[in-house]
Amino acid sequence: MIFTIARREIITMFLSPLAWVILGVIQVVLGFMFLSLLDNYAILQPQLMRLENTPGVTDIVVAPLFQLAAIILLMIMPLITMRTFAEEKRNKTLTLLISSPLSMTEIVLGKFLGLFLFVFFLVSLLMLMPLSLYMGTALDTGKLVSIYLSMLLLLSSFAAIGLYLSSLTDNQTIAAVSTFGALLMLWIIDWVGETAGGGQNVAAYLSILRHHQSMLEGVFNFSDLAYYLILITTFLVLTIRQLDRDRLL
Amino acid sequence: MDSTALVAVENLSRYYQKNCAIDQLSFSLQAGEVLGFLGPNGAGKSTTMQVITGNLAPSEGRVIINGFDIIESPRQAKQHIGYLPEHPPIYREATVDEYLKYCAKLRRVEHGSIANAMEESKSHCGLNEVGHRLIANLSKGYQQRVGIAQAIIHNPAVVILDEPTVGLDPIQIREIRSLIKTLGAERSVILSTHILSEVQASCDRVLIIREGKLIYSASIETLKNYRNKHSITAAFNNPPPIEQLEAIGLIEQVESIDNNRFRLSFNSDSPAESLVQVSVEKKWGLFELVPDHASLEDLFIELTQDENAGVDSAEAEG
């Protein structure tokens, strides 16, 4: 049942030009960044040769590329998640799901799985860029896997937050703007730590940036994994509760 | 409440904040019955249907569908319901076939019988020719049919239709009504509307609600009898004096409408036959003879405005 809903989500996404435009624009922009990072590396390479324990191409090209990708996708993900519930509420098609013999959990998980599959497709496309480097050089495969995982977890968290905010309204623009605000806050929350003394550690742990950063460097911590999983679960549970609440109003 | 009822609504109340939309509503629906749900705008028809189908939670009371409580075991209860809301929940960007297939899967129709279920509901709703077309490109009438098709695709015991003929042209309305008749032969149907003639055309029993309260409940036959006034209008080319008309048996009272027309009141049996005979004998030139009906609107207004309309007396018959 979850797969049925997820499949419908994916089909709906690709029936509108939005998904194609988003995929295309991200590829072009990141492709350009990838090339300029490569250029940069070509200039740096002679100097790096002389050092010991030099950072490799994975550190100098791939990690910064996905750092940038995360920031761009922070702006783009709200556009992908905004329609999930808001559009169905506006078009009154949510009734179809709610009057079918499905639990709210199945509906929310179906929607989330649809978003996850889109994210999976998107990140896999992006990974083709660093993978193309295999033609000319050796890459740190362990780090690549860590980066890939980090991107999936990061974007799934974005998706869960967007899903929840989309369930709060029947207006897609409001869903997108509030999701963007929430993601940005989560990104910059550790700035607090630099000025105020107390709560520094908490703010740093809450910041999604820190977790992404350490996984980009190839450090795989279970606390990072736990962070993402808790974030995703929390927002999915909130979405389920929100749908239940809608029936009481 | 009757335990054999397919749908049992018990003391249902529903508040929007302090606003009471449904007030202690109770009724039941037997298998094979078409129930008309009638009321002016804002009477609580749609709210009641949303509560029955689990789209809104009731503030008080219970809804039992085929033995399953809609709140306690929603999945089993919803399996027996097909629901067409006021706005058909259709995906405009899908084709009719894609959409119906999706609905069949959502309703847990077994994989092997999906194609069959689709065929059946499409031919029921006259959608065979438009299966490959985008729903967005279909006319409003066809979109409404797609909405009905999704409601019956899983062969539910109860079909709930919320104002299915709103915004359709007369031909489409007639088609939808005959479709409802067909549905009523195999399943139980609850139909909401504010158009009385629609109830008359398709329902076995009618409930009239106003401000969330049940004010009238009766079989359609009772409603029809209620409609018939005991009078006919007759028109003559050579109108006779009123006394001669009054002299004809069964006629109680004669009222002149214009030079040629008269309204003839009677008690129980119609005087039409003897009137025609006398008219021929005396060469009055009868050219028009029409039984009078209370207009449906009159009746509706009477029922929905009169506080003491007969729930009690009618309940016994329903």
Side-chain angles (χ1 to χ4, degrees):
Chain A
M1 211 42 56
I2 294 172
F3 280 101
T4 309
I5 299 175
R7 190 166 163 271
R8 183 77 235 156
E9 271 307 289
I10 292 281
I11 291 174
T12 312
M13 258 184 244
F14 281 104
L15 278 179
S16 84
L18 185 65
W20 297 102
V21 171
I22 286 174
L23 286 175
V25 167
I26 291 175
Q27 286 291 322
V28 169
V29 171
L30 286 177
F32 178 77
M33 286 173 172
F34 178 60
L35 287 181
S36 49
L37 282 166
L38 262 188
D39 258 354
N40 212 13
Y41 179 72
I43 296 165
L44 282 175
Q45 204 182 18
Q47 299 165 22
L48 288 171
M49 296 283 271
R50 282 181 241 128
L51 300 171
E52 273 179 49
N53 275 335
T54 53
V57 69
T58 322
D59 302 299
I60 292 179
V61 176
V62 184
L65 177 71
F66 281 95
Q67 182 77 42
L68 289 166
I71 293 169
I72 292 171
L73 285 165
L74 181 139
M75 292 182 266
I76 301 272
M77 274 307 279
L79 300 176
I80 297 167
T81 60
M82 67 179 183
R83 41 161 299 284
T84 41
F85 282 109
E87 189 186 43
E88 294 228 36
K89 282 190 179 183
R90 172 60 57 91
N91 294 344
K92 320 236 181 218
T93 51
L94 198 57
T95 322
L96 179 70
L97 294 176
I98 292 184
S99 38
S100 292
L102 303 167
S103 65
M104 293 296 178
T105 314
E106 282 175 308
I107 296 175
V108 171
L109 286 182
K111 293 268 182 194
F112 179 70
L113 182 64
L115 288 173
F116 176 80
L117 291 177
F118 181 80
V119 159
F120 182 78
F121 182 60
L122 174 64
V123 177
S124 304
L125 272 184
L126 292 180
M127 282 311 278
L128 290 178
M129 277 189 255
L131 286 180
S132 70
L133 292 178
Y134 267 121
M135 288 187 294
T137 177
L139 291 170
D140 185 335
T141 313
K143 274 186 185 169
L144 272 187
V145 171
S146 172
I147 289 170
Y148 188 57
L149 264 179
S150 180
M151 283 304 286
L152 282 184
L153 287 168
L154 181 79
L155 295 186
S156 302
S157 314
F158 289 179
I161 293 169
L163 198 65
Y164 172 62
L165 289 166
S166 177
S167 77
L168 289 178
T169 172
D170 62 0
N171 184 319
Q172 296 191 36
T173 317
I174 291 176
V177 171
S178 55
T179 307
F180 176 66
L183 296 182
L184 202 59
M185 277 309 291
L186 212 51
W187 196 263
I188 61 176
I189 196 165
D190 67 330
W191 290 6
V192 168
E194 285 158 23
T195 49
Q200 190 169 353
N201 289 335
V202 180
Y205 183 75
L206 283 180
S207 167
I208 210 163
L209 174 70
R210 297 278 175 106
H211 301 279
H212 186 51
Q213 191 62 49
S214 70
M215 278 182 86
L216 283 186
E217 285 159 12
V219 185
F220 189 88
N221 267 326
F222 274 99
S223 81
D224 293 331
L225 184 66
Y227 171 83
Y228 285 125
L229 293 183
I230 290 171
L231 194 70
I232 292 169
T233 316
T234 307
F235 278 96
L236 291 185
V237 170
L238 282 174
T239 314
I240 294 167
R241 287 189 54 109
Q242 178 59 33
L243 287 188
D244 267 325
R245 255 176 60 87
D246 275 351
R247 297 196 295 178
L248 294 173
L249 287 176
Chain B
M1 240 330 125
D2 199 341
S3 63
T4 60
L6 210 46
V7 178
V9 173
E10 299 170 14
N11 304 321
L12 197 69
S13 294
R14 166 75 206 195
Y15 296 88
Y16 291 108
Q17 277 94 39
K18 291 253 160 93
N19 234 330
C20 181
I22 314 176
D23 190 8
Q24 295 290 320
L25 198 63
S26 296
F27 64 88
S28 63
L29 177 72
Q30 305 297 329
E33 201 177 18
V34 180
L35 181 71
F37 215 62
L38 203 63
N41 291 328
K45 301 187 297 281
S46 291
T47 306
T48 309
M49 298 198 146
Q50 281 173 308
V51 174
I52 294 175
T53 55
N55 280 276
L56 282 176
S59 309
E60 285 164 35
R62 296 201 302 165
V63 177
I64 312 284
I65 312 283
N66 216 352
F68 296 105
D69 190 305
I70 191 79
I71 296 299
E72 278 159 25
S73 32
R75 189 180 286 183
Q76 289 92 328
K78 284 174 183 174
Q79 190 72 54
H80 298 289
I81 306 180
Y83 175 42
L84 170 71
E86 232 173 325
H87 306 271
I90 45 179
Y91 292 111
R92 298 173 57 78
E93 71 281 354
T95 67
V96 174
D97 282 340
E98 282 170 0
Y99 174 71
L100 289 179
K101 192 171 180 187
Y102 178 57
C103 294
K105 284 185 186 164
L106 287 181
R107 269 62 175 277
R108 298 172 197 275
V109 176
E110 273 175 47
H111 195 76
S113 40
I114 285 181
N116 244 336
M118 280 171 62
E119 267 323 300
E120 209 164 291
S121 79
K122 274 199 304 187
S123 63
H124 251 315
C125 303
L127 290 168
N128 283 324
E129 271 99 67
V130 295
H132 59 280
R133 284 181 59 185
L134 281 183
I135 293 178
N137 295 342
L138 295 178
S139 69
K140 181 99 173 36
Y142 270 97
Q143 292 185 353
Q144 196 77 19
R145 291 186 199 194
V146 174
I148 297 179
Q150 64 78 24
I152 61 174
I153 195 153
H154 54 305
N155 205 3
V158 189
V159 181
I160 298 179
L161 306 172
D162 196 351
E163 310 215 339
T165 56
V166 160
L168 302 186
D169 70 37
I171 296 170
Q172 292 169 328
I173 288 180
R174 194 185 297 169
E175 285 169 354
I176 298 271
R177 278 183 194 163
S178 71
L179 174 60
I180 292 168
K181 272 243 150 90
T182 335
L183 290 181
E186 300 159 19
R187 300 161 235 265
S188 300
V189 179
I190 302 182
L191 172 74
S192 98
T193 178
H194 56 260
I195 305 163
L196 255 167
S197 57
E198 193 156 295
V199 168
Q200 193 175 22
S202 6
C203 302
D204 303 322
R205 197 151 67 87
V206 56
L207 298 179
I208 299 184
I209 63 168
R210 189 192 47 173
E211 289 167 12
K213 290 192 186 78
L214 186 64
I215 56 167
Y216 186 84
S217 155
S219 75
I220 196 71
E221 288 308 316
T222 320
L223 193 70
K224 273 182 190 162
N225 291 335
Y226 194 97
R227 273 189 66 203
N228 288 330
K229 274 192 182 165
H230 292 281
S231 70
I232 50 179
T233 303
F236 306 95
N237 279 326
N238 312 309
I242 288 185
E243 300 79 57
Q244 287 197 27
L245 284 172
E246 278 174 340
I248 299 173
L250 299 170
I251 293 179
E252 289 285 312
Q253 201 193 338
V254 178
E255 195 185 328
S256 166
I257 300 172
D258 56 31
N259 283 339
N260 293 354
R261 282 186 173 73
F262 299 91
R263 180 171 296 124
L264 313 171
S265 309
F266 56 93
N267 259 343
S268 47
D269 297 322
S270 167
E273 199 181 332
S274 36
L275 178 68
V276 173
Q277 263 175 8
V278 176
S279 160
V280 171
E281 281 165 19
K282 301 196 173 172
K283 297 207 165 55
W284 287 342
L286 177 70
F287 67 89
E288 205 179 286
L289 191 62
V290 186
D292 290 343
H293 286 300
S295 93
L296 291 166
E297 286 73 20
D298 289 347
L299 176 65
F300 187 52
I301 288 166
E302 196 182 316
L303 284 173
T304 50
Q305 288 186 343
D306 178 10
E307 280 287 346
N308 307 315
V311 176
D312 298 330
S313 62
E315 188 72 276
E317 292 178 64

